[in-house]
Amino acid sequence: MNVIIHNYKGIHARIAAMIVFRANQINNQYGVYMFIQKKSGKQKIPITSMVALTSLGVKSGDEVTLLCQGEKGAEALQEMTQYLSGQIEIDKANIDEMDTIIENATLTSEKIFESLSNGLVVVDENNNITTFNRAAEIITGLKRENVIGKKAQEVLEDSKLHVVLKTGQEVKGARQKIGKTTIITNRTPVIVEDKIVGAVAIFQDISEIDRLSSALESVKELKERFHNILEHAHDAISMVDDQGIITYVNPAFEEMWQVQRQEILGKNISDTFAQDVGIEVLKSGKKKLGARIQKEDGTKIISNASPIFINGMMKGVVATSKEVTELQKMMEKLEAAEAKVKYFQEELYRKDKFDEAFQRIIGKSGSLREILTIASKAAKTSSTVLIRGESGTGKELLARAIHQTSEKKNKPFIRVNCAAIPESLLESELFGHEKGAFTGAIRRKLGKFELANHGTIFLDEIGDISRDMQVKLLRVLQEREFERVGGLETIKCSVRVVAATNKNLEQAMLQGSFREDLYYRLNVIPITLPPLRDRKGDIPLLAEHFIEKISKRENMTVKGISKNVLGLLEAYHWPGNIRELENIIERALALGEGELLDEDALPGYLKSENTPKTVELVNLVNGEVMSMAAYEKQIIQKALQKHKSFNRAGKALGLAHRTIALKARKYNLISEE
């Protein structure tokens, strides 16, 4: 039976309570059960359900259909139709019963909301939260008492309910982050009489689904990577299941055994490779390492096999194999690599310390600039360089600069301090040795010349090696070849030699301690570094560099240097050269106070040696002043004794060399032969 609702506000909560109250009376009176259905709808609902009736959203003028179950259904429908077709008035006499119905309906809705496993958030037209169920608390980690009445976007990260209120558009299946939780949510506007009065968000925690999805993707990626590793491995790899059926072989296995995988996959390992170590492991369940197999052509194979256990059950065996000859080659390469790594580790540590001590060649003196010009030209060649100079003048620094600006800069730079290595070990250090060459030679060792191949070898303190070693070194320089100690193999090497010494090699040759032929082999491009006392103009630059470097290294405040200290440094004769200067600066920084380095921080010997002394410039003879000519003769005689030539003596006295020569002859200071 159809009926049109004329109530001007439709079936709202209070009217729905009236209808439920009246429907219960009619059901009880006639012993029937009535249903109501919106004409445009497909689902019938009990007319006595307050929540369901309200959810129909029946408006004034809408047509509904009444249905009934029971013998007296016609009478019941007739009476209910009459009630609905009129203007339903609120019966004040039954107001308490209707309030109870509304209250029960509200409680029922709240229980439904609380029992939901999905989060539910309801906001009013001002986006203030009015409902926040238990599931929402669990998912968001927020308490309802802390969010009810607040704006949704204030308490929920990235909330879009205010957008739904504004647009009235429903949103389904949106992903959203709330803290560390990922949710999927549906957002729907609440519309009453064509007006948006609120919005509802229902959401579900999908963090675990996301995690599982990511884990599944990771497993897939890992499997792909694992497959690629197996396919490109140099070792032959095979896998069999617990029945011995071959499930996988890689390309290296195919090459080693000259088979095609499609021909052996699915076959039993016992039928195809009777010697395979995996057969034994299948039977014993224990891994087998270092098993030796010999192929028909005599090639020896070393194999390792391990069982695969899953949940305590053996599911198969994986085996890897390698030819012994290849393994031997790899061991030799490994030994060579280990020797290089060990050397470069030591060099890296020493180089780091070196760079901290002297990062660049500092100085503007003419003598130093001239040396650097020669060195830069030498770097463009592969000729042997002999660097000479006193201890501490920076010979190794210059050797490294030559290497780093040469074509070999990307090749090894190997340093050997010949004076620091015992004579009995120097040959082994330079040329290497074979296993068993002498007591303690437990394996082959590569020498420094071999490590420096195609690069540069720096032989420091070359003047300290014995004549026997000089002969062997001469052969390397001439022939570019050598043998390891205890070895028979002649090893070719292409290496640039830079040697250094603070010894007088010419005097050593006269004494017979240094070979002339080696001297001339080394002295192709000689470079002599000037001592610090001959380039005192560079002392302020060097002092400033060391102050800045040491202060940075020791985390000190960078200090300046007083003029008095600079004067003392420039007056000192510097037997230890630049190395001694750095040590003195480091000491002064450690012991000094204030913003400037002063005399108190300098070692006592530096101050005492530089204390001005009273000097008599005019010598008296028997208390009388001599003639000007006598004094002039003495001055020129002293200058010639010190400087050995008219030119240098003239420069020292500020006179032309011709003037010095004339006066020397005048005073009979030179032989006329």
Side-chain angles (χ1 to χ4, degrees):
M1 187 173 290
N2 297 331
V3 60
I4 295 175
I5 302 301
H6 294 290
N7 208 67
Y8 71 97
K9 285 190 177 181
I11 301 179
H12 55 78
R14 182 70 67 178
I15 297 301
M18 292 283 294
I19 294 172
V20 169
F21 180 74
R22 181 64 183 139
N24 276 324
Q25 289 180 330
I26 295 174
N27 280 345
N28 292 334
Q29 178 182 351
Y30 294 103
V32 296
Y33 196 76
M34 290 187 290
F35 297 89
I36 187 170
Q37 180 180 0
K38 209 170 180 181
K39 188 175 181 182
S40 58
K42 296 181 179 180
Q43 187 176 8
K44 63 181 181 179
I45 62 171
I47 199 170
T48 54
S49 171
M50 171 76 179
V51 175
L53 186 58
T54 307
S55 68
L56 283 178
V58 178
K59 301 177 182 178
S60 179
D62 286 349
E63 185 175 358
V64 297
T65 301
L66 297 178
L67 306 168
C68 188
Q69 292 178 355
E71 294 181 1
K72 297 183 178 182
E75 293 91 333
L77 287 175
Q78 183 65 35
E79 192 168 336
M80 194 68 208
T81 300
Q82 290 178 356
Y83 181 76
L84 291 176
S85 61
Q87 190 65 240
I88 302 172
E89 299 291 342
I90 297 175
D91 187 352
K92 294 182 179 180
N94 298 316
I95 193 72
D96 290 339
E97 287 84 351
M98 288 183 289
D99 284 345
T100 299
I101 292 171
I102 293 173
E103 184 178 354
N104 289 338
T106 302
L107 291 173
T108 300
S109 298
E110 290 177 352
K111 288 181 179 179
I112 292 171
F113 296 161
E114 287 300 294
S115 65
L116 290 174
S117 60
N118 290 343
L120 173 70
V121 177
V122 182
V123 297
D124 62 16
E125 58 187 335
N126 296 315
N127 202 29
N128 295 319
I129 297 175
T130 59
T131 301
F132 199 82
N133 73 345
R134 183 171 176 275
E137 286 186 305
I138 295 171
I139 294 171
T140 65
L142 302 171
K143 294 293 184 182
R144 74 182 74 191
E145 57 264 27
N146 296 330
V147 300
I148 295 294
K150 293 185 178 179
K151 301 287 185 185
Q153 63 266 35
E154 293 178 3
V155 295
L156 293 174
E157 181 183 351
D158 200 29
S159 172
K160 296 290 192 300
L161 285 174
H162 62 286
V163 177
V164 175
L165 287 171
K166 183 177 180 180
T167 63
Q169 298 294 319
E170 184 179 28
V171 178
K172 291 185 178 181
R175 293 170 68 91
Q176 183 179 335
K177 292 289 290 186
I178 299 179
K180 295 183 179 180
T181 303
T182 303
I183 65 169
I184 187 165
T185 180
N186 295 335
R187 307 184 191 101
T188 308
V190 178
I191 301 174
V192 177
E193 296 182 356
D194 297 326
K195 180 182 179 183
I196 299 174
V197 297
V200 178
I202 299 176
F203 50 91
Q204 179 181 358
D205 184 356
I206 60 168
S207 300
E208 185 64 16
I209 296 173
D210 254 14
R211 187 190 67 78
L212 291 173
S213 175
S214 177
L216 185 62
E217 194 65 30
S218 297
V219 169
K220 183 179 178 182
E221 182 180 347
L222 185 62
K223 182 180 178 182
E224 185 66 26
R225 288 185 180 182
F226 180 63
H227 181 265
N228 287 336
I229 291 171
L230 295 179
E231 288 292 294
H232 294 92
H234 292 293
D235 290 0
I237 300 173
S238 62
M239 296 182 191
V240 299
D241 64 15
D242 57 343
Q243 301 300 315
I245 303 302
I246 300 172
T247 58
Y248 174 81
V249 294
N250 71 342
F253 186 96
E254 293 179 287
E255 184 177 351
M256 176 179 287
W257 295 102
Q258 295 298 301
V259 295
Q260 297 294 321
R261 68 176 74 185
Q262 59 266 27
E263 297 175 357
I264 61 173
L265 290 180
K267 294 184 179 180
N268 195 287
I269 191 73
S270 301
D271 300 332
T272 51
F273 300 98
Q275 299 182 71
D276 195 276
V277 67
I279 299 172
E280 182 180 343
V281 175
L282 273 174
K283 294 177 181 178
S284 67
K286 297 179 180 180
K287 65 182 177 182
K288 180 78 173 178
L289 303 178
R292 291 180 175 270
I293 304 170
Q294 186 164 331
K295 295 168 62 176
E296 293 180 359
D297 61 2
T299 304
K300 294 180 180 179
I301 306 292
I302 292 182
S303 296
N304 299 323
S306 298
I308 302 170
F309 284 96
I310 300 176
N311 296 326
M313 298 290 291
M314 191 171 75
K315 297 296 184 180
V317 174
V318 58
T320 61
S321 303
K322 184 182 291 292
E323 290 186 8
V324 174
T325 51
E326 183 181 354
L327 192 60
Q328 288 174 339
K329 291 178 182 177
M330 289 185 64
M331 287 298 294
E332 290 177 2
K333 290 181 180 179
L334 181 61
E335 288 177 358
E338 284 179 346
K340 289 186 178 181
V341 167
K342 182 178 179 181
Y343 174 79
F344 285 122
Q345 282 177 336
E346 294 171 354
E347 276 299 291
L348 181 61
Y349 174 77
R350 199 197 63 76
K351 181 181 182 300
D352 288 342
K353 300 296 287 182
F354 182 89
D355 287 345
E356 290 174 7
F358 214 125
Q359 293 183 4
R360 58 187 181 276
I361 299 175
I362 295 173
K364 295 182 179 179
S365 65
S367 59
L368 180 64
R369 294 295 102 185
E370 183 179 348
I371 291 301
L372 294 181
T373 300
I374 295 173
S376 66
K377 292 179 180 178
K380 295 180 174 64
T381 72
S382 59
S383 301
T384 303
V385 177
L386 178 62
I387 303 174
R388 306 179 70 169
E390 296 178 8
S391 178
T393 52
K395 296 187 288 295
E396 182 178 349
L397 183 68
L398 184 61
R400 285 184 179 275
I402 291 172
H403 171 73
Q404 290 166 0
T405 54
S406 72
E407 293 182 353
K408 301 178 183 293
K409 62 183 178 181
N410 295 322
K411 301 298 181 181
F413 177 89
I414 305 298
R415 173 185 177 271
V416 182
N417 188 333
C418 300
I421 302 171
E423 179 65 28
S424 59
L425 298 178
L426 184 57
E427 182 178 1
S428 170
E429 194 69 23
L430 290 176
F431 308 126
H433 63 252
E434 295 291 350
K435 179 179 178 181
F438 51 83
T439 303
I442 58 175
R443 64 176 183 175
R444 173 190 289 173
K445 176 185 176 182
L446 303 186
K448 296 296 191 287
F449 270 96
E450 199 166 349
L451 292 173
N453 196 24
H454 303 298
T456 301
I457 188 167
F458 175 53
L459 301 175
D460 200 5
E461 307 297 350
I462 192 69
D464 292 312
I465 65 174
S466 67
R467 283 186 64 89
D468 289 341
M469 183 56 63
Q470 291 174 29
V471 174
K472 296 174 182 178
L473 184 59
L474 180 62
R475 182 199 171 193
V476 178
L477 295 178
Q478 289 177 333
E479 308 297 335
R480 300 294 175 176
E481 64 182 27
F482 60 91
E483 288 88 32
R484 300 190 190 101
V485 177
L488 300 176
E489 179 187 1
T490 299
I491 300 169
K492 297 286 186 180
C493 71
S494 173
V495 62
R496 200 260 185 81
V497 177
V498 178
T501 184
N502 59 5
K503 297 289 181 68
N504 187 329
L505 297 184
E506 290 79 10
Q507 185 177 353
M509 284 191 295
L510 292 175
Q511 295 172 349
S513 61
F514 201 86
R515 294 178 61 94
E516 286 189 30
D517 46 6
L518 178 58
Y519 171 81
Y520 291 116
R521 277 289 176 183
L522 293 172
N523 201 43
V524 179
I525 301 179
I527 298 176
T528 302
L529 283 171
L532 187 56
R533 59 183 170 274
D534 290 346
R535 42 180 290 217
K536 292 190 175 181
D538 292 337
I539 288 177
L541 295 175
L542 290 165
E544 181 182 347
H545 166 73
F546 289 135
I547 289 172
E548 183 177 349
K549 181 181 72 77
I550 295 169
S551 298
K552 183 178 180 181
R553 187 185 70 203
E554 301 296 337
N555 198 22
M556 297 176 175
T557 302
V558 178
K559 297 183 179 182
I561 187 168
S562 67
K563 291 183 178 180
N564 290 339
V565 171
L566 277 178
L568 290 173
L569 295 178
E570 290 174 345
Y572 183 53
H573 66 285
W574 297 108
N577 291 295
I578 298 168
R579 187 182 295 117
E580 184 182 8
L581 173 61
E582 181 179 9
N583 292 339
I584 287 175
I585 294 295
E586 185 169 0
R587 168 200 166 106
L589 285 172
L591 302 180
E593 297 179 358
E595 296 181 356
L596 292 176
L597 292 184
D598 54 29
E599 296 179 29
D600 294 337
L602 297 177
Y605 68 83
L606 193 70
K607 292 181 285 186
S608 63
E609 287 197 12
N610 290 285
T611 302
K613 300 176 182 178
T614 302
V615 178
E616 289 288 344
L617 296 178
V618 178
N619 294 321
L620 302 179
V621 178
N622 298 324
E624 298 295 332
V625 178
M626 295 188 296
S627 67
M628 184 65 71
Y631 285 121
E632 186 178 57
K633 177 181 178 180
Q634 282 189 15
I635 292 170
I636 293 173
Q637 186 177 24
K638 294 290 185 184
L640 287 172
Q641 288 174 351
K642 178 175 178 58
H643 296 291
K644 310 297 184 186
S645 74
F646 296 144
N647 189 37
R648 288 195 292 271
K651 287 183 179 179
L653 297 176
L655 299 173
H657 73 281
R658 178 177 175 77
T659 302
I660 295 296
L662 291 173
K663 289 185 179 292
R665 291 187 178 90
K666 174 183 175 181
Y667 297 124
N668 296 317
L669 298 178
I670 58 173
S671 174
E672 296 294 339
E673 294 180 3

